[in-house]
Amino acid sequence: MPLEAEIKAEALKLGFVVSGIARPAQPETFPSYQSWIAEDCHAGMAYLARPESLSARADPKSLLPGSRSIICVGLPYPPPETPEPDAQTGKGNIAAYALQPDYHDVMTAKLKQLGQRLTELAGRPVSFRACADSAPILEKDFARQAGLGWIGRNSLLSAPGLGTYLVLGELLTDLELTPDAPLSGDPCRDCRLCVEACPTQALRPNRSVDARRCLSYLSIEHRGAIPAELRPKLGPRVFGCDTCQSVCPLNQYVTTAAAAPALISAFPDLIEEFMLDEAAWKARYKGTPVLRARFAGYRRNLAIAMANTRAVGAAQALQTALEEELPADLRETFLWALAQLS
């Protein structure tokens, strides 16, 4: 069996549902990425625009000197749960991927296992570096090059039969491996459902996302107040957004099983969550991506969702919270939410 086939078989054993190989050359989308940065579409994620970050994305070999191949893999997570029509009164919504154990930890551990197996499979010491959404690498482009799927209009990689419900990882290695070919065709060519469904019109014509308007960015990465005009668009969302995936025709028949059982509910009770102190909140969401929002950011999201859903008891909860010492931006958000309820 060729070494490439052995590596892919090993990846399958580790739980990766797709795998492929690409060359560590400058990705085709790097010029578009530069334009995206220049247009400030990265919003408050200043680390994306650092010179060392840009140079690494232009030259992935800098991440592992002597690298000759990139092994690209994908781990599945279940599609979003569909609530009963009247079951969401006073309930928030957490994006599907965040219900699982933090993918950074899971992906890193599995990639390192695969990297350690390379030495045995190759019969010589092999250098490798695991990348799990933490290294400056244009992972969707390399996944596309490796034949894992297509990049859709929502900017996400869609794999045949698996859709976009995947998290991606890369293993740079000094092994000289035969690269795979990209998939032909473009299943998104005549479809714009995700573009039209995006609550804030954050999807750009070149299949990138304007983070300044993206509800996933605003509810997770953004620090401080969310622009007032975008707050009603959040609806019940308290962490992330699945809209552009939920409407995608390529996702309609995906039944991917979880690699692990859900750790938390997709539909938390807004008032109960709002009453948690920071220690209780951290304990509840330990080991999940939700901690990425930080306590202040999550309370901000809860207040907006409480106003948007007109949750019973929200006004009293907000009034009580306003008696606390609060950062100015959080106090402003709570006052805004209270005003909407009035």
Side-chain angles (χ1 to χ4, degrees):
M1 182 185 295
L3 179 56
E4 292 82 0
E6 290 187 285
I7 292 171
K8 292 175 184 178
E10 196 64 32
L12 190 62
K13 290 179 187 176
L14 289 169
F16 297 118
V17 290
V18 283
S19 61
I21 299 164
R23 291 283 188 213
Q26 183 177 113
E28 293 178 15
T29 56
F30 180 69
S32 296
Y33 181 78
Q34 287 179 299
S35 299
W36 184 78
I37 293 291
E39 294 173 48
D40 290 329
C41 290
H42 59 305
M45 297 178 284
Y47 59 90
L48 296 177
R50 292 172 187 158
E52 61 273 22
S53 173
L54 288 169
S55 63
R57 284 181 166 86
D59 179 19
K61 289 182 180 179
S62 64
L63 297 173
L64 178 72
S67 58
R68 293 181 174 84
S69 305
I70 303 177
I71 301 168
C72 301
V73 296
L75 278 175
Y77 63 90
E81 298 177 35
T82 303
E84 294 298 320
D86 60 348
Q88 291 310 290
T89 304
K91 300 289 186 180
N93 184 214
I94 294 176
Y97 85 91
L99 308 182
Q100 306 294 306
D102 194 325
Y103 69 90
H104 296 90
D105 301 330
V106 176
M107 178 67 79
T108 299
K110 288 181 179 293
L111 283 172
K112 287 182 177 179
Q113 285 182 271
L114 182 59
Q116 289 159 2
R117 283 286 289 134
L118 294 181
T119 290
E120 300 173 42
L121 295 174
R124 69 162 177 84
V126 174
S127 296
F128 67 86
R129 175 172 175 176
C131 302
D133 194 28
S134 56
I137 183 170
L138 294 180
E139 61 179 12
K140 286 180 285 189
D141 196 322
F142 287 113
R144 178 195 63 79
Q145 290 181 47
L148 270 59
W150 308 272
I151 295 178
R153 290 193 187 278
N154 60 4
S155 89
L156 300 174
L157 186 96
S158 181
L162 299 167
T164 60
Y165 301 117
L166 294 169
V167 291
L168 303 176
E170 300 76 42
L171 195 67
L172 282 81
T173 173
D174 63 351
L175 283 174
E176 185 75 50
L177 300 171
T178 302
D180 291 291
L183 300 180
S184 60
D186 177 11
C188 300
R189 184 186 59 189
D190 299 320
C191 181
R192 294 180 55 85
L193 287 178
C194 62
V195 176
E196 295 163 359
C198 177
T200 58
Q201 298 301 292
L203 303 182
R204 287 155 44 96
N206 65 350
R207 307 195 183 198
S208 67
V209 177
D210 186 342
R212 295 168 295 185
R213 301 188 63 80
C214 177
L215 297 181
S216 280
Y217 165 77
L218 290 169
S219 62
I220 300 173
E221 299 292 336
H222 181 67
R223 307 295 174 230
I226 291 173
E229 68 273 16
L230 297 180
R231 293 173 192 174
K233 303 291 187 180
L234 273 167
R237 300 172 183 85
V238 294
F239 188 91
C241 177
D242 286 322
T243 297
C244 67
Q245 299 192 86
S246 297
V247 302
C248 177
L250 299 177
N251 282 339
Q252 298 313 303
Y253 303 102
V254 172
T255 56
T256 304
L263 295 182
I264 56 175
S265 169
F267 308 111
D269 182 277
L270 292 171
I271 303 299
E272 180 196 354
E273 297 271 300
F274 193 73
M275 300 302 289
L276 294 174
D277 61 23
E278 186 167 5
W281 177 75
K282 287 182 175 178
R284 175 169 292 185
Y285 290 108
K286 181 180 179 181
T288 76
V290 175
L291 293 182
R292 180 75 180 175
R294 302 182 185 177
F295 183 59
Y298 192 73
R299 289 192 87 196
R300 171 202 64 198
N301 299 343
L302 287 169
I304 295 171
M306 285 158 56
N308 290 340
T309 61
R310 307 195 70 78
V312 176
Q316 181 59 54
L318 287 162
Q319 287 170 342
T320 300
L322 283 165
E323 296 173 8
E324 305 171 21
E325 288 291 331
L326 297 168
D329 59 278
L330 201 56
R331 177 172 294 278
E332 184 276 328
T333 298
F334 288 2
L335 287 170
W336 174 89
L338 197 57
Q340 307 312 301
L341 293 166
S342 300

